[in-house]
Amino acid sequence: MLALTAARPAAPYEDAKTRLAEAVEADRDEILDLSHRIHADPEPAFEEHHASTWVAEVLARHGFIVEHPAGSLATAIRATRRGGLGGDGPRIGILAEYDALPGLGHGCGHNTMAASGVGAAIALASLADELPGEIVFLGTPAEERGSGKQIMIDDGLFDGLDAALLYHPCDRSHVESFPLASEDVDVVFSGLQSHASSDPWRGKNALDALILLFTSVGLWRQGLRPNARVHGIIREGGTAANIIPDRTSAWFMIRSDDEGEYQTMRARFRALCDAAALATDTTVEVTFSGGARTMRNNRVLVERFRANMAAYGIEDEGDDPNAGSTDMANVSRVCPTIHPDLAIAPPGTPGHSILFRDAAVSPRADEVTLLAAALVAQTAFELFSDPALVAAAWREFRSPD
Ligand SMILES: [Zn+2]
Ligand SMILES: [Zn+2]
């Protein structure tokens, strides 16, 4: 059990940070109820209607002006609360994802992120009279597929932000993340039906094309660098064994830690699709979507979050060697951004698994959700209270290294 209100927060602003932790603790039931409800009703990317409604309701109850839907996405939220000190203070963004994984549920634990983001926002709202600027909560759909944050960026919903903060659950605690550039690729092969026994020679087999593509990708992997990934599933593989399939489809993802190399991989993957179609006399349609970029961790923010975390006895375990991808990396190209992860499960628990899904409603996950809310709120409070810190974060953003 983490002692949320027993620990002495990190300097500076220890008293305000203590009150933020107490505010999270006071709203414990409301925050955890949100986490559990979202977990019990998993909704995939772009379909988070219940989750976004519940998140919006809590924010409205705590005095936020809520836009829902926000921009072009039905399940996006932008909720704001102005600080009582007025003036031109910073706009600090608290982000929350709430999409689940098809066929698995909350195997990425976004229920804990949604609840902690709301917890951070309402804790800050309880100190609004002491803040300049504006608290900006952004409910960001479609992280697992589609890069909803990029759509929200294009919709102007990140305009004017001075920082973007969130927390993600993990099997280890680390403040910096190095996600891979990534895209989804939908591949559809079209052939010609015929009887698979009486006159197969009249058909054009779209399944053969798909099998060739998977084989080519498997052979290609030997030549890929360790931090490149290509992986996929078959969505449609034909309809009956006695029909030559005239349509098959797959969903792939391509990833790399190097954006230049990523472009080379993208072209090569496209060539493998064309080659499979050529070999089977079929045609192919290849659609890339939902691009995520590589991350620019803002070190000024990283240092502050790390210090706040250490006060609660949580050490930074260092960069995660096993990276996925996230559209938070796209946000990191727009304003100073961090993507800290906190452990809710034992080390080695695989992400996107039943084990991780079950961990996301464990008593440990609940305590970490509350702690994450306090840490995000405390880091945001520092930014609200110290213009030099915001300036330093922007300096780092404009000239990294
Ligand atoms: Zn996730
Ligand atoms: Zn995920």
Side-chain angles (χ1 to χ4, degrees), residues 97 99 101 107-110 113 143-144 168-169 325-326 339 341 352 356:
E97 299 159 7
D99 59 332
L101 291 152
C108 209
H110 292 177
M113 191 202 295
E143 189 277 337
E144 295 291 358
H168 196 290
S325 305
T326 174
H339 185 285
D341 284 55
H352 290 193
F356 200 83

Side-chain angles (χ1 to χ4, degrees), residues 111-396:
N111 59 299
T112 70
M113 191 202 295
S116 78
V118 169
I122 64 180
L124 283 165
S126 73
L127 268 61
D129 287 348
E130 302 170 37
L131 301 178
E134 192 170 46
I135 310 162
V136 181
F137 176 95
L138 292 163
T140 62
E143 189 277 337
E144 295 291 358
R145 180 185 168 104
S147 285
K149 291 184 193 62
Q150 184 59 52
I151 298 169
M152 292 178 71
I153 291 167
D154 296 340
D155 285 343
L157 296 169
F158 282 79
D159 291 357
L161 275 199
D162 286 297
L165 312 174
L166 56 60
Y167 130 85
H168 196 290
C170 193
D171 66 328
R172 53 201 293 289
S173 298
H174 58 102
V175 183
E176 287 187 281
S177 293
F178 295 90
L180 312 176
S182 160
E183 267 175 308
D184 293 290
V185 198
D186 288 297
V187 181
V188 179
F189 287 103
S190 298
L192 191 64
Q193 285 182 334
S194 68
H195 195 295
S197 175
S198 65
D199 48 1
W201 47 85
R202 293 189 204 283
K204 295 180 180 181
N205 195 323
L207 180 58
D208 287 353
L210 197 53
I211 291 167
L212 268 180
L213 176 58
F214 271 88
T215 305
S216 303
V217 164
L219 295 170
W220 182 32
R221 282 201 184 93
Q222 185 181 41
L224 292 174
R225 294 192 313 126
N227 284 337
R229 296 281 187 276
V230 53
H231 46 91
I233 60 163
I234 295 176
R235 283 189 187 280
E236 297 165 279
T239 56
N242 56 2
I243 306 170
I244 298 289
D246 68 334
R247 177 188 164 92
T248 54
S249 64
W251 169 14
F252 277 89
M253 296 186 77
I254 307 175
R255 317 194 201 219
S256 172
D257 64 347
D258 178 298
E259 293 199 357
E261 187 200 31
Y262 176 79
Q263 292 304 325
T264 309
M265 288 177 66
R266 192 182 198 269
R268 183 69 181 276
F269 183 84
R270 170 81 229 199
L272 296 183
C273 295
D274 290 338
L278 181 68
T280 53
D281 197 18
T282 57
T283 58
V284 65
E285 246 179 80
V286 184
T287 310
F288 293 86
S289 65
R293 303 196 55 182
T294 54
M295 177 87 86
R296 290 174 60 184
N297 296 280
N298 190 279
R299 287 187 211 121
V300 173
L301 303 185
V302 165
E303 287 304 319
R304 296 319 310 151
F305 194 92
R306 190 179 280 146
N308 287 322
M309 186 169 107
Y312 291 87
I314 299 182
E315 292 304 315
D316 189 336
E317 296 173 57
D319 310 341
D320 194 338
N322 308 312
S325 305
T326 174
D327 55 4
M328 194 61 174
N330 300 36
V331 176
S332 79
R333 308 304 180 116
V334 172
C335 69
T337 294
I338 48 170
H339 185 285
D341 284 55
L342 297 175
I344 63 160
T349 307
H352 290 193
S353 69
I354 290 172
L355 280 176
F356 200 83
R357 179 193 71 194
D358 293 350
V361 275
S362 63
R364 178 176 178 181
D366 286 350
E367 295 309 315
V368 172
T369 297
L370 298 171
L371 176 65
L375 295 176
V376 167
Q378 291 171 348
T379 305
F381 188 90
E382 290 192 36
L383 289 161
F384 278 118
S385 305
D386 183 0
L389 190 63
V390 176
W394 275 110
R395 261 199 312 278
E396 147 95 18

